[in-house]
Amino acid sequence: MAQASSTLDQNQFSCPICLDLLKDPVAINCGHSYCMSCIKSCWDQEDHLGVYSCPQCRQTFIPRPVLNRNTILAEVVEKLKKTGLQAATPADHYAGPGDVECDFCTGRKHKAAKSCLVCLASYCETHLKPHYESPAFKKHKLTDATGRLQDKVCSQHDKPLEVYCRTDQQCICYLCTMDKHRSHDTVSAAAQRVEIQKQMGETQREFQQRIQMREKELQELREAVGSFTSSAQSAVEDSERIFTEMIRSIERRRSEVTKLIRDQEKAAVSQAEGHMERLKQEIDELKRRHSELEQLSHTEDHIHFLQRCQGLPVTPEAGFGPRISVSPRSDFGNLRKVVSELKDQLENVCRKKIAEIHHPVTKDTILPELVPRTRAEFLQWELLFLSPAASWSFTFT
């Protein structure tokens, strides 16, 4: 209870401008209290208008009120200071690197909660209260705190950007619709955002489907590599066993076949690993784009949404390679048959059978030959995979 009372005292005797305990407190005609230096500084900026207002309720005064120190209030504040009940602001309420600062805080700036497109200023929670409480600010346009308020205002008419010109594909103000963009196809920024976000929803679903498809292909490819490696290892072991039973004269041929199998295994696995790496990169990129669209779809700032969505991908297919199909499981069965026959034959037939071995080994692979079906698909492949030294040839259908 003592702590709650302390917080109440701090709020009652804090200056709404500097947010610290009142220094030389004064009460102006509307009843609100400020530090004398704070309200003087505020009214000094209104001298050229000749009309002075309360920063909280916006009540105006003519002429400039005479300020007198509120002795009783000053004594109460001094007692608060002696009891140690200083007004404290949590550290996370102060603006840090990258945060938008409140334009009305003096001294150490607080973090802005909203920006006003009419005032062209940003406000912390305390200085934002008049925009919520005073009828004078009822028509002001508040948006998420931003340090680039000029980007939300028409450079020609100095009015908020609230309209989207479909003809010129840019954000404009209402005066622009009667000027340079007269007779153009225009809608409100909110309406255009709804239309684009509807399209974006379809794109996000396509991204999700593509992610699931690629993840499935990646899993199939992993399983195929494991099966292929196991099959290759089994083929090596079988051939080693058969060749060991043969006479010394065919030892050299055994080494040739073993090397052939290993080379093909290495080439096939290397090819598959390359596609696996590409699939991982595509999945990461698809997830990144999906996340970017997800974050953008939740922003409340229509203008930021429209300006950012211009550079986003329309469909998830752009910049990605073709689908990958995995070949059925291979077990080097033909090789075993040929090697078994070779065991019963003499050296004079070994040279002929080695040529027969080469063909069944090289045709076993994890992935079929990938051939682009269209010119556009070929250009995508060339961009994604081909190095300057590559010399692949393709047939278009």
Side-chain angles (χ1 to χ4, degrees):
M1 292 297 292
Q3 185 177 359
S5 176
S6 169
T7 303
L8 180 61
D9 290 340
Q10 294 171 14
N11 293 334
Q12 287 179 331
F13 300 103
S14 295
C15 173
I17 297 177
C18 68
L19 304 182
D20 289 331
L21 284 177
L22 292 165
K23 306 177 189 68
D24 292 329
V26 294
I28 62 176
N29 299 3
C30 61
H32 290 111
S33 298
Y34 301 91
C35 298
M36 183 176 293
S37 60
C38 290
I39 192 63
K40 278 185 175 182
S41 176
C42 183
W43 282 351
D44 286 345
Q45 299 176 22
E46 299 178 343
D47 274 339
H48 67 287
L49 299 174
V51 179
Y52 306 90
S53 61
C54 172
Q56 284 188 275
C57 66
R58 293 297 176 177
Q59 181 175 339
T60 57
F61 313 106
I62 302 176
R64 177 170 176 165
V66 177
L67 298 174
N68 294 309
R69 186 170 184 268
N70 189 322
T71 307
I72 296 178
L73 188 56
E75 291 177 355
V76 174
V77 172
E78 286 300 318
K79 288 182 180 179
L80 284 174
K81 290 181 179 180
K82 290 178 180 179
T83 58
L85 302 179
Q86 297 291 333
T89 300
D92 60 355
H93 286 191
Y94 289 113
D99 291 331
V100 179
E101 297 181 346
C102 174
D103 293 320
F104 281 79
C105 286
T106 59
R108 186 176 179 184
K109 298 284 188 177
H110 288 78
K111 188 188 304 183
K114 293 286 184 180
S115 296
C116 178
L117 297 181
V118 177
C119 302
L120 290 183
S122 298
Y123 301 88
C124 64
E125 292 288 355
T126 300
H127 290 125
L128 187 63
K129 289 180 180 178
H131 275 75
Y132 292 131
E133 298 172 356
S134 175
F137 297 99
K138 185 176 182 180
K139 294 184 178 181
H140 283 208
K141 179 70 174 179
L142 294 177
T143 184
D144 293 340
T146 175
R148 300 174 60 87
L149 280 172
Q150 291 301 324
D151 292 348
K152 308 295 188 299
V153 178
C154 176
S155 59
Q156 182 176 358
H157 301 107
D158 204 28
K159 297 293 183 182
L161 298 174
E162 298 178 330
V163 180
Y164 185 77
C165 176
R166 290 173 173 169
T167 304
D168 294 334
Q169 295 186 348
Q170 67 180 95
C171 298
I172 59 176
C173 71
Y174 280 110
L175 292 180
C176 288
T177 62
M178 297 179 285
D179 189 6
K180 183 179 177 181
H181 298 264
R182 182 186 302 172
S183 76
H184 285 193
D185 182 11
T186 59
V187 294
S188 69
Q192 182 66 13
R193 187 241 173 93
V194 169
E195 181 177 336
I196 293 180
Q197 191 156 2
K198 184 184 300 182
Q199 300 171 359
M200 189 179 294
E202 293 296 326
T203 301
Q204 285 181 275
R205 282 188 287 273
E206 292 177 12
F207 271 123
Q208 187 61 38
Q209 292 173 359
R210 181 62 59 86
I211 290 170
Q212 294 172 355
M213 179 185 69
R214 288 310 203 188
E215 286 178 339
K216 180 180 179 182
E217 291 176 358
L218 180 60
Q219 181 61 31
E220 291 175 351
L221 197 54
R222 285 189 180 126
E223 293 173 356
V225 168
S227 175
F228 190 89
T229 302
S230 175
S231 178
Q233 180 62 30
S234 178
V236 169
E237 292 172 356
D238 288 346
S239 64
E240 289 285 347
R241 177 180 54 80
I242 295 171
F243 274 112
T244 301
E245 298 173 359
M246 295 175 66
I247 60 177
R248 189 183 298 269
S249 63
I250 63 172
E251 284 289 333
R252 182 167 58 88
R253 301 299 188 273
R254 183 194 65 176
S255 300
E256 292 176 357
V257 172
T258 299
K259 183 177 183 302
L260 182 61
I261 295 172
R262 290 300 190 188
D263 288 347
Q264 181 60 20
E265 176 191 6
K266 181 179 179 181
V269 172
S270 177
Q271 179 193 19
E273 288 176 346
H275 287 292
M276 289 170 65
E277 182 61 27
R278 177 172 66 81
L279 283 173
K280 291 177 183 177
Q281 293 175 359
E282 284 191 26
I283 290 170
D284 290 341
E285 178 63 16
L286 287 166
K287 287 181 177 179
R288 183 190 69 77
R289 292 186 184 180
H290 180 269
S291 177
E292 184 179 359
L293 291 175
E294 181 68 18
Q295 293 176 5
L296 185 59
S297 68
H298 290 296
T299 182
E300 298 177 3
D301 189 336
H302 303 321
I303 303 305
H304 173 73
F305 174 89
L306 294 173
Q307 292 174 340
R308 285 284 294 116
C309 75
Q310 296 294 325
L312 294 179
V314 178
T315 61
E317 290 87 359
F320 294 99
R323 289 194 56 182
I324 294 176
S325 299
V326 181
S327 294
R329 180 177 178 271
S330 173
D331 59 0
F332 291 88
N334 291 340
L335 174 64
R336 292 188 181 88
K337 178 181 178 182
V338 175
V339 173
S340 296
E341 294 174 356
L342 189 61
K343 180 183 68 171
D344 300 326
Q345 298 181 18
L346 300 173
E347 179 65 24
N348 62 344
V349 297
C350 288
R351 294 181 181 86
K352 179 181 178 181
K353 292 300 179 181
I354 287 296
E356 296 179 21
I357 290 172
H358 188 273
H359 175 69
V361 171
T362 55
K363 78 174 185 178
D364 286 317
T365 182
I366 297 175
L367 299 170
E369 182 180 1
L370 299 177
V371 179
R373 294 165 293 182
T374 63
R375 174 91 183 152
E377 191 172 285
F378 166 72
L379 293 176
Q380 287 186 359
W381 282 31
E382 186 178 51
L383 180 63
L384 289 171
F385 308 119
L386 300 186
S387 66
S391 58
W392 299 356
S393 61
F394 300 97
T395 301
F396 300 100
T397 59

